Amino acid sequence: MSRIAYVAGQYLPHRRAAVHIEDRGYQFADGVYEVIAVVAGKLVDEEPHIVRLKRSVGELRIPLPMGEAALKIVMREVIRRNGVDNGIVYLQVTRGAAPREHAFPKSVKPTLVVTAKRTKPPDPKYGRDGIAVITIPDIRWERCDIKSVALVANVLGKQQAREAGAYEAWQVDRDGMVTEGTSTNAWIVTMDGAVVTRAADNAILSGVTRLAVLDIIRAEGLQFSERPFTVTEALAAREAFLTSTTADLLSVVSIDGKPVANGKPGLLSEKLRSAYLAHTGMVV
Ligand code: PMP
């Protein structure tokens, strides 16, 4: 089945799908995006993704190019046309195409792109053995709560992780506190069993997976705290893990080459991982 993309009002073959060279997403990274998982044909946590999209465009003062109901129809149509049973939907909204000038153009239509693709399940070894992270300075701007397409700092960080043989890079702010990964949220479990993740301030993206895992933690009556933590605290923790739509929940077993606890996935992370996978509808 050949891939089809929705681009500014049309369903087009993927290889011919394009936006204008003066699209502000291309020239200024003036746009936002969402990635939503599809499990057994269903969108996982569609509502919180839409809520976050509306917040992101609102913060950038970009009008949503169509109503929410229409957007949901387009996403389903792209899923259908691409025969996606398990995979992801990618959605991007930019301010639109206009002659290049920094200030907002007077009359411009926002560009909406929706794509979907099948994905293979992540390598089971990540879930089984856990993953390694490195730490890097957080060099991003002060509005990481907006899911902006301006991801070059994240791109450089992820590449640095890859070159170090790690799965992810945890970014550290000027106060020595972990903000988040380049495409994931960061968590630890303290020695007294409290789950800790940074509060959803402007320094991190409020992950939809993060919210789902916090709901599970609350429902299970587990101890938790939304506060920043240092790398030293993470290295002294009982467990560490990360979350995102595409990674789901993975145990972090080493940080900068040093083991977290005994260097094996922790029991609580494994329990939360199973509960999260069940929540998405993935077979555990
Ligand atoms: N932080 C950043 C910087 C991200 O790019 C992502 C993935 N979009 C996340 C956290 C995790 O968010 P989610 O759980 O909504 O995928």
Side-chain angles (χ1 to χ4, degrees):
M1 184 182 281
S2 60
R3 286 186 70 194
I4 301 291
Y6 177 90
V7 184
Q10 286 181 292
Y11 293 94
L12 297 170
H14 208 260
R15 85 194 107 77
R16 284 205 294 114
V19 294
H20 195 269
I21 53 164
E22 282 193 314
D23 191 277
R24 292 177 63 94
Y26 179 59
Q27 300 216 331
F28 294 112
D30 189 2
V32 304
Y33 74 107
E34 279 296 327
V35 177
I36 311 180
V38 181
V39 173
K42 292 210 181 75
L43 288 150
V44 177
D45 288 333
E46 182 179 19
E47 283 314 313
H49 279 285
I50 302 270
V51 167
R52 186 172 66 186
L53 174 72
K54 289 206 291 199
R55 180 175 182 280
S56 294
V57 289
E59 291 299 306
L60 299 187
R61 294 156 62 195
I62 296 174
L64 208 56
M66 61 174 66
E68 215 176 295
L71 191 60
K72 288 180 178 173
I73 291 170
V74 170
M75 286 197 286
R76 280 161 181 73
E77 186 59 17
V78 175
I79 290 170
R80 193 188 67 76
R81 290 195 189 215
N82 289 280
V84 175
D85 42 4
N86 292 296
I88 55 158
V89 174
Y90 177 86
L91 204 150
Q92 180 171 318
V93 182
T94 69
R95 200 177 306 279
R100 189 180 185 281
E101 206 224 320
H102 285 61
F104 297 175
K106 285 250 154 34
S107 58
V108 64
K109 255 184 37 208
T111 309
L112 170 65
V113 168
V114 182
T115 59
K117 69 172 180 190
R118 294 183 201 193
T119 54
K120 288 201 205 97
D123 192 332
K125 80 165 193 250
Y126 294 135
R128 200 179 50 231
D129 305 336
I131 51 94
V133 304
I134 57 166
T135 62
I136 58 170
D138 195 334
I139 59 167
R140 300 173 302 160
W141 72 331
E142 291 181 8
R143 292 304 307 276
C144 295
D145 55 309
I146 301 170
K147 199 163 170 56
S148 149
V149 293
L151 289 173
V152 70
N154 308 56
V155 165
L156 293 175
K158 188 75 93 186
Q159 182 60 22
Q160 205 176 324
R162 289 285 179 278
E163 287 172 10
Y167 181 92
E168 178 62 298
W170 276 6
Q171 300 167 104
V172 180
D173 70 15
R174 288 200 197 109
D175 302 323
M177 299 294 177
V178 174
T179 53
E180 61 181 339
T182 64
S183 64
T184 55
N185 288 115
W187 306 67
I188 58 170
V189 181
T190 63
M191 277 300 173
D192 52 13
V195 186
V196 178
T197 194
R198 191 178 178 115
D201 54 17
N202 289 357
I204 68 162
L205 184 75
S206 173
V208 169
T209 318
R210 177 186 174 282
L211 292 177
V213 171
L214 280 175
D215 280 348
I216 294 167
I217 287 169
R218 279 189 204 99
E220 296 277 326
L222 299 169
Q223 247 199 88
F224 76 96
S225 164
E226 289 181 84
R227 61 160 176 88
F229 57 85
T230 62
V231 177
T232 310
E233 191 180 3
L235 276 166
R238 182 189 284 176
E239 301 182 27
F241 61 93
L242 53 75
T243 55
S244 83
T245 297
T246 49
D248 54 73
L249 189 158
L250 296 176
S251 286
V252 171
V253 295
S254 85
I255 302 174
D256 291 330
K258 297 172 207 126
V260 176
N262 64 357
K264 300 222 157 59
L267 285 179
L268 190 54
S269 321
E270 285 187 332
K271 194 173 151 190
L272 290 173
R273 177 160 200 268
S274 306
Y276 177 70
L277 292 180
H279 161 79
T280 66
M282 271 183 249
V283 184
V284 190

